[in-house]
């Protein structure tokens, strides 16, 4: 299977390295970063490209842009992991649309296009007989979408509850375990590289809410948006609130939850028993799927990281390879 | 897709009910219990059969045996959930061999044949171009096999650690939470229906070890047997040992673990931090997969139950339907 890779940040590098290292039957025929690109129908030497990128800041020729690669390279699937604004979805959404229109499968880690334009992109993929996959957009390395589609096939999903933001979970874990204030725990998260200088997107629950939008629209075929999520962040939580919860054998976590029968779509700090499977430590993510046959299934794993996200992307690529390319 | 169902105990009834209730595109054309059988190429009325079974103890005619259904009925996949000795694998293994030789896919919940004859049955399935699936044999409703094959496709599995026996986990949870002795907790497990009159198979770790054999042979293509597992049960654990662990923020769980690079295949009571994802309560099961890309992925869910096990079987059936029957 031939793939083109758009984006050579942390995730793109991880994917390229894993494709180079593992014998997956995948050849990269086009790569672009934000300033340059390279096209080679015979297969690109990934080690050379990553070395170029490191020394010059460019992966290829400055004459070749991302859209050139998407429009001109010879590939079966596009790996779209460009730096993208999660609230506008661009430039990823445009890249994805172009590739789908060319009848190319698309795998992305960008939440924006999926949260904002799921119906349109899914429809475009269907019209063109190709797959649009986005396992990496929710809960990092945890194979949520694969579990929903395959592992729990035949089950009705009744409700979901998740810890979908590692930054918030780290802050709350530290407040609970060490009695830190919110400000102290946030500072520690910044020092560890888990929180941005402006932490609004994480601590006000926006990131978790975007992931919830993706899950709800995927599972139940809904068309909800970020504004449909009832959202409360963790930035006003006091150390006292956590201490009270802990005294009763519980703790507080930022829980994203959805139950369409109750019309409940919410991200908020919730008091939760410490023995509950969703109570995970540090930056871990966790998701409980409540189903009619399997009952509650909880998945726990890393929500971020270069190679961890590459795992989700490669899972999608191999599924496309198995379902479409090898059988074609 | 047409299926034949062998076994109408708790699991078989659950599967039959779910196939009748859900619109899965699956028709049952043959059913057998231990004393009778029914064959109908046009599709069997499941409600009638279950009512017959309840009133007379027979699902069909006493002239029709399980092997008659397996050999004569018209079906794509055999659902093999007959009452079977996990240590000998019979009669399930014979049923499975017969169906595979007829080029029929097989889905089973019986651990014995998979633990004892995995290589032979897998080889027979391959020779006949059909699938041999056994998701339900390990960790009940948790889609372990699907996650290994699909969700974590491309990952190398480095090691596994699991709570694979709900009875032991219930006993240890009660000893830890209520300060009960082993004998008290075992008595409670018996009263709740979680432990057999003779609990040896569970409390000495045999059940967990059999499931570990299945996982190891599946994941790493090994040929290990029950006797290759270094096994210690929970029946000699004292309340004092648990109290000591609890005093240090840890607890004790029966952990099945495998790491082929270390030649480690073990089931034993292990001290484990209470915040670890594997520390689940009551009869829950949990499995951590340690991988090269996704790192640690933990799956938690119900390890037993009629409908829960049916979930795993139906997941296998739908995979066969999608991969083989619909594409044929």
């Amino acid at each position: 299977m031939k793939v083109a890779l758009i984006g050579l940040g942390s995730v793109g590098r991880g994917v390229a390295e894993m494709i180079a290292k593992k014998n997956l039957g995948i050849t990269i025929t086009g790569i672009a970063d934000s300033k340059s690109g390279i096209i080679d129908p015979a297969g690109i030497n990934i080690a050379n490209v990553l070395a170029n990128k490191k020394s010059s800041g460019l992966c290829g020729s400055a004459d070749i842009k991302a859209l050139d690669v998407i429009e001109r390279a010879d590939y079966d699937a596009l790996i779209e992991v460009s730096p993208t604004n999660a609230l506008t979805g661009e430039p990823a959404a445009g890249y994805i649309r172009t590739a789908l229109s060319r009848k190319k499968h698309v795998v992305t880690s960008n939440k924006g296009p999926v949260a904002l334009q799921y119906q349109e992109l899914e429809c475009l993929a269907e019209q063109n007989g190709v797959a649009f996959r986005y396992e990496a957009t929710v809960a990092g390395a945890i194979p949520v979408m694969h579990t929903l589609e395959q592992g729990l096939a035949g089950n009705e999903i009744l409700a979901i509850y998740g810890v979908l933001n590692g930054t918030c979970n780290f802050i709350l874990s530290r407040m609970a375990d060490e009695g830190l204030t919110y400000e102290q725990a946030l500072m520690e998260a910044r020092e560890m590289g888990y929180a941005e200088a402006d932490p609004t997107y994480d601590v006000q629950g926006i990131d978790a809410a975007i992931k919830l939008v993706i899950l709800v629209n995927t599972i139940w075929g809904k068309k909800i948006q970020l504004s449909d999520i009832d959202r409360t962040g963790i930035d006003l939580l006091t150390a006292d609130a956590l201490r009270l919860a802990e005294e009763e054998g519980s703790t507080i976590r930022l829980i994203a939850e959805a139950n369409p029968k109750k019309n409940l779509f919410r991200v908020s700090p919730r008091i939760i028993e410490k023995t509950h499977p969703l109570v995970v430590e540090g930056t871990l993510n966790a998701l409980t799927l409540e189903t009619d046959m399997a009952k509650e299934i909880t998945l726990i794993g890393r929500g971020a990281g270069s190679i961890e996200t590459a795992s989700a992307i490669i899972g999608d690529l191999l599924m496309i390879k198995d379902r479409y390319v090898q059988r074609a």
Side-chain angles (χ1 to χ4, degrees), chain A:
Chain A
M1 180 165 74
K2 293 174 186 171
V3 299
L5 172 63
I6 306 301
L8 266 189
S10 153
V11 173
R13 278 198 307 276
V15 173
E17 280 167 10
M18 289 302 110
I19 289 176
K21 182 181 163 192
K22 286 172 175 261
N23 186 16
L24 303 170
I26 296 175
T27 305
I28 304 187
T29 56
I31 299 182
D33 56 24
S34 54
K35 298 178 204 148
S36 69
I38 173 170
I39 297 175
D40 185 343
I44 292 169
N45 183 315
I46 295 169
N48 285 356
V49 166
L50 294 177
N52 282 351
K53 172 85 179 170
K54 201 166 183 181
S55 63
S56 71
L58 301 179
C59 73
S61 158
D63 297 339
I64 301 178
K65 306 293 181 205
L67 268 177
D68 296 324
V69 172
I70 298 168
E71 287 172 349
R72 285 167 31 205
D74 172 28
Y75 59 94
D76 301 297
L78 183 76
I79 306 169
E80 199 296 306
V81 294
S82 64
T84 283
N85 184 325
L87 297 172
T88 69
E90 293 300 340
Y95 295 159
I96 293 170
R97 227 178 275 118
T98 305
L100 292 176
S101 301
R102 279 196 70 198
K103 300 192 186 301
K104 306 299 184 188
H105 307 285
V106 172
V107 174
T108 188
S109 63
N110 273 312
K111 293 180 280 287
V114 192
L116 293 163
Q117 297 158 44
Y118 172 65
Q119 301 278 343
E120 182 207 330
L121 297 173
E122 191 61 43
C123 185
L124 190 59
E126 206 165 302
Q127 281 167 5
N128 286 284
V130 291
F132 174 49
R133 310 277 316 165
Y134 45 87
E135 178 70 84
T137 59
V138 176
I142 305 175
V144 176
M145 304 298 168
H146 279 84
T147 303
L148 287 164
E149 285 172 26
Q150 294 152 1
L152 297 175
N155 277 273
E156 184 186 349
I157 310 295
L158 306 172
I160 57 175
Y161 314 87
V163 169
L164 300 178
N165 182 274
T167 308
C168 289
N169 206 65
F170 177 84
I171 291 171
L172 294 172
S173 297
R174 296 300 293 166
M175 289 175 72
D177 296 350
E178 305 295 328
L180 303 182
T181 64
Y182 167 75
E183 287 74 17
Q184 289 168 326
L186 173 61
M187 193 175 302
E188 204 178 295
R190 281 205 186 103
E191 281 164 12
M192 309 276 289
Y194 299 149
E196 310 276 332
D198 175 5
T200 310
Y201 178 72
D202 288 317
V203 301
Q204 292 193 356
I206 301 168
D207 175 68
I210 289 175
K211 291 166 178 166
L212 190 62
V213 166
I214 294 174
L215 285 170
V216 167
N217 291 348
T218 300
I219 296 173
W220 293 293
K222 302 238 170 229
K223 298 182 184 183
I224 70 164
Q225 304 172 341
L226 181 55
S227 56
D228 296 317
I229 307 287
D230 178 6
R231 178 170 53 82
T232 309
I234 63 164
D235 46 339
L236 300 177
L237 256 188
T238 63
D240 275 348
L242 261 159
R243 203 174 305 128
L244 280 171
E246 294 274 325
E247 277 169 15
E248 297 185 0
S250 294
T251 191
I252 296 178
R253 289 293 192 261
L254 186 73
I255 303 294
E257 52 187 323
N259 185 326
K261 283 189 187 147
K262 294 183 183 165
N263 205 27
L264 171 75
F265 306 105
R266 179 168 62 192
V267 170
S268 63
R270 306 274 288 169
I271 296 173
I272 182 169
E273 276 185 49
K274 291 185 87 166
T275 53
H276 193 285
L278 276 185
V279 178
V280 292
E281 293 291 300
T283 59
L284 283 175
N285 280 203
L287 182 67
T288 298
L289 306 167
E290 194 182 311
T291 75
D292 63 338
M293 291 191 292
K295 309 296 185 303
E296 302 80 21
I297 296 286
T298 300
L299 312 171
I300 299 171
R302 304 209 183 174
S306 168
I307 305 299
E308 290 85 343
T309 308
S311 171
I313 289 170
I314 285 170
D316 278 347
L317 288 174
L318 292 178
M319 191 209 180
I320 290 169
K321 183 167 174 253
D322 179 53
R323 286 221 178 166
Y324 297 86
V325 182
Q326 281 184 339
R327 288 167 206 259

